[in-house]
Amino acid sequence: MGVYERQQKEKKILEAAIHLFSEKGFHATKVDEVAKKARISKGLVYFYYKSKEDLYMAITKKGVDELKEIFNKAFGKPKEKTGLEVMTDLAESYLSFARDKKVFHDAILHFLGLLDQYQVDKEKLNPLILNSQYFTKLVQSHHDLAKLGIKAISTGIKDGSIRPDLHAESTFYTLWSMMIGYCRISGSVSLEPGEIKINTESWKNGFIKLFFEILKGSSTPSVSQPVQGKLF
Amino acid sequence: MGVYERQQKEKKILEAAIHLFSEKGFHATKVDEVAKKARISKGLVYFYYKSKEDLYMAITKKGVDELKEIFNKAFGKPKEKTGLEVMTDLAESYLSFARDKKVFHDAILHFLGLLDQYQVDKEKLNPLILNSQYFTKLVQSHHDLAKLGIKAISTGIKDGSIRPDLHAESTFYTLWSMMIGYCRISGSVSLEPGEIKINTESWKNGFIKLFFEILKGSSTPSVSQPVQGKLF
Amino acid sequence: MGVYERQQKEKKILEAAIHLFSEKGFHATKVDEVAKKARISKGLVYFYYKSKEDLYMAITKKGVDELKEIFNKAFGKPKEKTGLEVMTDLAESYLSFARDKKVFHDAILHFLGLLDQYQVDKEKLNPLILNSQYFTKLVQSHHDLAKLGIKAISTGIKDGSIRPDLHAESTFYTLWSMMIGYCRISGSVSLEPGEIKINTESWKNGFIKLFFEILKGSSTPSVSQPVQGKLF
Amino acid sequence: MGVYERQQKEKKILEAAIHLFSEKGFHATKVDEVAKKARISKGLVYFYYKSKEDLYMAITKKGVDELKEIFNKAFGKPKEKTGLEVMTDLAESYLSFARDKKVFHDAILHFLGLLDQYQVDKEKLNPLILNSQYFTKLVQSHHDLAKLGIKAISTGIKDGSIRPDLHAESTFYTLWSMMIGYCRISGSVSLEPGEIKINTESWKNGFIKLFFEILKGSSTPSVSQPVQGKLF
DNA sequence: AATGAATGAGTCTTCATTCAT
DNA sequence: TATGAATGAAGACTCATTCAT
């Protein structure tokens, strides 16, 4: 069996797992089901992935890779876009990704939690996770991701499309935080009873406004921001 | 057995569960352990709480209630503080809460996820959660929480300590998002290799700066902001 | 449930396990089967015994205890028997035990193997075995056993029924070795084709003769040894 | 592929298996590992050996053959040694073999157990063992072994180096029993707490003494026995 | 001859939940 | 109220063996 066929099979398993994890979550999904969905035997799943956790790490890796791909695309051809435009596309892509590929986004956040725990007390981490070949790879990939975001802001600062007084790194992480938090709670905002004057739509607008004010400054809040039109 | 004794016992169970969930997480904690820690029998745990999930909902409820208490305290006596000062205290309290009472914060975020799922597809929610008496109560409590935050911003807008062009509701949710995201990823930022010029400390400063710019506007970024000194 | 009932249930499980291990061996016996045979659920087996290995250690413990009991009985009332007579009964009992309670005897030999391994490389021992409460207890019990055998020989030496030039300890272990080896191969001797002039019966006699020569000396090989008549 | 290459491959597999079984035991060794160690594929292992059990029987056969070889060497050139000298060498070789080639010795004892079971209830024997071509061959080889031992004693009786009143067959089996038992428990004797006055060394001496008394009689226990010096 | 992907029955073990007392 | 013995459905993972290539 060639390398290609093997990769195809790996992919098949991954897709089955992604589908089921999306549907029911990691815990509720049984390896048996993944095998059935991929139309192979349970044993073969374990032939390709050392454990259920390894499989999840593989999914996480795929998630980070897809996101990296998306980020790279946002940059477009060199000099084609201003840094702010790139950031706009980045934000837009990110939120679409978080919405449409929830498993991936959740997996990435879960991975960030692992990194946290890794520093606090490595011993407490599930060894099945720690031993996953994908775990190590993820550390690098996730780093690449952050670099892309930071690069976008740096570019914007240089080309004047983003406020010059910003610190690229901390700004990126702050904006990322905003988006993560937004994804986390946007779903529940629409439940707010009438008493609170907000709905998904109005919050989205408010959120976007503040998001870009951070990049451009709030000195000209009245100026129209056409570039935002692309967002969401 | 009087009402008082009953409440004491409930409290004992809750405390045991909180302690264990903090230590090992929901899944890794066995009901047996909770019972043992509370020095009662497993059966009695089920007498007071319908299921492990019910117990977790009770914890979530307690978390929301504690946070509400904290928020209320931030307001202080009427007219004592400006809206901005209240928001500052609110943010500070929130981040302390998220750090020191991680179980509660996680539980609250988990609950927001449930609310989200509730709207998407009620059927998929774990019935043990849905049937918990605490679940319904939580919907209201959580709402109270949001109202307090929004009130702080409204107050600030009225008393001039916060930018007048802000929409209180969406600003509150945006700031909340920022904090949630911050809690989520601050742990992993310190792992960034040297290439990325950031560490926990420098990001915290950058984050705070942007957080308050949102409330006050960035037109005067050079002006010192003593009120921020209290934060973190 | 009283202590008595609990012990009864433990006993029931143990008996079921003993029966099945005798029939099919440790590996071939499934915990499920033990449960079924004891007419309880699989879970309850694990309630009483931490693991299959723990169960096996419990059986071993029971085996050693039964053997100790048998040994104690062989001593009879003080001054009732000579040391040689005790040894005769001891040998007889031992071989009956090894034949009739093969599981126990095998378990004991297995345990001796564990002790060996324990000294060579403790780390390689199955932790399920090492953590069994019965393992520790066994070390002591097994020691008691050896002491009884040695005591019999010492007594014989003192009362003149056993050769005075023997070293009680090494003689006991040597005789024990003989019996262990005898049990191990006696089954296969009867398979020897006609060319070899031996069968189970004739070897047994030869074995007994040599066994007692060790204790009494071979200077009087022609003297009848009435005491041996009891053996087998 | 020529017969030679085939045999080489078989040998390679066997060596790999012997090494792994020594290290981890039969159960803990996976066929996969054997294949990897032999640098061939798992499938090929099954081409040469019908089953894992068949492989074990092949190892057993090799063990018996090696032991036979060793026994043959002990005889030396005709008339070169007395029967007692041969027995001494035989015993020495046997114990070295049991110590240094533990897998083989264990395999042989396991085989004797199979023979035993074979007579009791053939049906209960693992068919994979029963169908092994090596099983049948073993029955004969094992028989040859016994014959060699018996021959040594007969020779000794004839040449006067061994007591004339001994029955060669049963004496051989008795001595073999002793050695088997000795191998079995010598490892655990050193664990005996101080209360029992024995250690590995002192028992070894006691054991040797009794072993040779059986062959020579105990009438002259004080006479030095230079021939024993070679033992162990 | 040789490979190694594929199978799937088999196994131990866990644990939320119940219920007789 | 309170206990804790009892249940049994899961579930992750293993591995000897087969077979298409």
Side-chain angles (χ1 to χ4, degrees), chain A residues 29-31 42 46 52 128:
Chain A
T29 300
K30 314 307 160 194
V31 177
K42 201 196 323 199
Y46 281 94
K52 201 184 170 187
L128 292 176

Side-chain angles (χ1 to χ4, degrees), chain A residues 150 167-170 173, chain B residues 192-199 202-203:
Chain A
I150 292 166
H167 178 244
E169 283 81 4
S170 57
Y173 280 110
Chain B
E192 296 296 351
E195 199 182 343
I196 293 183
K197 288 164 201 142
I198 195 162
N199 58 45
S202 67
W203 180 34

Side-chain angles (χ1 to χ4, degrees), chain C residues 70-127:
Chain C
I70 288 172
F71 271 29
N72 272 319
K73 274 190 191 146
F75 276 90
K77 290 175 193 156
K79 317 234 168 162
E80 198 181 43
K81 295 175 177 174
T82 64
L84 182 62
E85 281 168 338
V86 171
M87 265 313 284
T88 306
D89 290 351
L90 236 45
E92 179 172 21
S93 313
Y94 186 85
L95 293 167
S96 302
F97 177 82
R99 192 199 328 115
D100 302 336
K101 313 230 164 166
K102 197 165 178 308
V103 223
F104 285 152
H105 190 240
D106 288 348
I108 292 171
L109 290 187
H110 172 252
F111 173 69
L112 294 181
L114 293 180
L115 281 185
D116 193 355
Q117 183 61 233
Y118 187 82
Q119 295 169 84
V120 176
D121 186 359
K122 201 187 290 196
E123 304 303 313
K124 273 192 183 173
L125 277 184
N126 185 339

Side-chain angles (χ1 to χ4, degrees), chain D residues 1 6 9 41 43 48:
Chain D
M1 197 183 226
R6 206 179 300 196
K9 203 141 273 187
S41 72
Y48 286 102

